[in-house]
Amino acid sequence: MAAARDYYQILGVSKNASKEEIKKAYRSLARKYHPDLNPDDKGAEEKFKELQEAHEVLSDEEKRKTYDMFGSAEFRPGGQTTWKRAGDPGGGNYQYTYSSQDFPGFEGIFKDIFGFGGAGRGPGRGSGDAFRDIFSSTSRGKAAKGKDLEYQIEIDFDTAIKGGVRDITISRQKLNNVSTEKLSVKIPPGVATGSKIRVQGKGESGGRGEKGDLYLRISVKPHPIFKRKQDDIYLELPVTFYEAALGKQVEVPTIDGIAKVSIPSGVQNGTKLRLKGKGVQNIKSKARGDQYVVVKIVMPDNISESDKEIFEKLAESTPYDPRTKFSKYMKQIR
């Protein structure tokens, strides 16, 4: 008599396990030890046969009762199950040859797990189809997709703001050599340093699967006069002290061209003048930010003696002390 086997231990479940727990354990282990996933591993093939034997008994209430009373020797098969792998050049067809005399109820197990029954391949449904259903997480999807590629490209400020097209050359690993490809990539308006542009299907090849994607990480060259903060643009505007005192309308550059801005009389240094809608288009919402013109009051490089006399008269006629807020503290420290 053959040695008894512990079917519960083979499936890794307790003796009080429910039918669903037994089925779940069997499915999990069947994926791991199936001969077609371990073609050169005799140990895996034997393990898979043990799993089938254990499941065939424990999933049947009457057989399970008998097993619990007498052990596994009552259920040991007299014959052997043989597995044949018949693959076409695409590797998608699998064939299983077995005898229903080896394991009573064996056909029901195959129908339950793989979706077909009978000796060999089932009618109306290739075994490769059933295999893809149960092993989809390992034989397809991410495992079949090629690797993504990532490149960093530098673009000028205007292209980042308005969008454009950038020609690049990328390298991919192909068989035993490195291949290159020239691409024209569309740059959407509003990208910034750190933005990523995805170019679908331009990554590494996945063999028989789909290609990975290409990701372009953007670096934007600084602009000589504009500074960008999110979707707003800042421009520092130098004004003379008499323009600040009298007020004036001046022309300023924007990303759309020339615009006019009014400097109010008595404007203070650092004042921000807003040009609505003259900023960057948001890459998601498509709404535009603003441009802020920041006033910077500057003095002439040289002041003549006659100009000094004018300033002295102006100071006498319009007494003004911008440091009055220091007065209280100054008295305390004298």
Side-chain angles (χ1 to χ4, degrees):
M1 181 178 293
R5 298 187 185 188
D6 188 338
Y7 289 154
Y8 294 104
Q9 186 177 11
I10 289 172
L11 292 176
V13 297
S14 69
K15 291 187 177 182
N16 297 324
S18 66
K19 194 171 182 179
E20 273 304 311
E21 289 174 329
I22 291 171
K23 184 176 181 180
K24 183 178 179 181
Y26 174 62
R27 284 179 178 270
S28 175
L29 292 170
R31 293 186 181 97
K32 181 177 180 181
Y33 292 104
H34 196 283
D36 278 326
L37 293 183
N38 304 274
D40 300 320
D41 189 345
K42 291 294 183 183
E45 182 175 339
E46 291 302 319
K47 179 67 175 178
F48 187 73
K49 292 176 185 178
E50 288 184 348
L51 292 169
Q52 291 176 317
E53 183 181 333
H55 179 263
E56 194 271 335
V57 172
L58 297 184
S59 62
D60 184 285
E61 291 184 8
E62 293 301 320
K63 292 179 182 179
R64 183 176 180 180
K65 288 179 182 178
T66 304
Y67 168 74
D68 289 340
M69 292 177 63
F70 300 105
S72 65
E74 184 72 19
F75 300 97
R76 291 297 302 277
Q80 291 184 344
T81 302
T82 59
W83 300 86
K84 293 182 180 180
R85 184 171 184 170
D88 61 11
N93 294 329
Y94 300 87
Q95 180 171 318
Y96 312 96
T97 304
Y98 60 89
S99 171
S100 60
Q101 294 177 351
D102 290 338
F103 297 99
F106 196 48
E107 297 176 7
I109 295 174
F110 264 69
K111 183 176 292 185
D112 182 35
I113 300 300
F114 297 109
F116 61 91
R121 296 171 63 179
R125 179 176 168 90
S127 56
D129 294 334
F131 221 73
R132 283 191 292 271
D133 291 343
I134 192 169
F135 295 101
S136 59
S137 63
T138 57
S139 62
R140 295 185 58 130
K142 293 182 179 178
K145 185 179 179 181
K147 292 182 179 179
D148 294 334
L149 292 178
E150 183 170 313
Y151 277 73
Q152 179 166 313
I153 62 171
E154 188 177 54
I155 60 176
D156 58 50
F157 188 87
D158 288 340
T159 301
I161 301 300
K162 299 178 181 179
V165 176
R166 175 69 183 271
D167 293 330
I168 63 171
T169 300
I170 63 170
S171 298
R172 298 191 192 90
Q173 188 67 31
K174 187 175 182 182
L175 297 180
N176 295 324
N177 56 63
V178 176
S179 64
T180 60
E181 181 181 359
K182 293 183 178 180
L183 301 174
S184 292
V185 180
K186 185 177 181 181
I187 309 295
V191 296
T193 294
S195 296
K196 277 188 177 182
I197 299 175
R198 176 180 175 234
V199 185
Q200 188 173 6
K202 291 300 181 180
E204 295 284 2
S205 174
R208 295 188 182 96
E210 61 179 315
K211 287 185 177 181
D213 298 326
L214 170 65
Y215 288 89
L216 300 177
R217 185 181 292 276
I218 301 298
S219 175
V220 181
K221 295 178 183 178
H223 194 276
I225 60 173
F226 293 128
K227 293 187 183 300
R228 177 179 175 181
K229 293 182 181 179
Q230 297 181 341
D231 295 333
D232 295 327
I233 290 179
Y234 287 76
L235 172 71
E236 193 175 77
L237 176 65
V239 297
T240 63
F241 64 92
Y242 42 83
E243 287 176 330
L246 300 174
K248 188 176 182 180
Q249 189 178 68
V250 299
E251 292 184 337
V252 296
T254 73
I255 61 173
D256 296 325
I258 302 298
K260 291 184 178 182
V261 61
S262 295
I263 301 172
S265 173
V267 69
Q268 298 296 315
N269 191 57
T271 298
K272 295 177 183 178
L273 306 176
R274 179 188 178 199
L275 296 175
K276 187 176 181 181
K278 293 295 184 180
V280 184
Q281 176 179 293
N282 186 279
I283 197 168
K284 293 182 178 179
S285 69
K286 309 303 180 185
R288 289 190 62 171
D290 302 321
Q291 177 169 320
Y292 288 92
V293 177
V294 184
V295 174
K296 182 180 181 182
I297 300 174
V298 294
M299 294 293 291
D301 293 334
N302 296 305
I303 300 178
S304 65
E305 291 299 323
S306 59
D307 288 338
K308 290 180 180 180
E309 293 178 1
I310 295 174
F311 293 147
E312 287 174 356
K313 291 180 180 179
L314 180 63
E316 292 174 358
S317 63
T318 312
Y320 170 66
D321 184 2
R323 297 175 295 280
T324 53
K325 60 182 179 181
F326 295 161
S327 299
K328 183 177 181 181
Y329 182 73
M330 295 287 280
K331 291 179 181 178
Q332 294 175 356
I333 63 176
R334 284 189 187 278

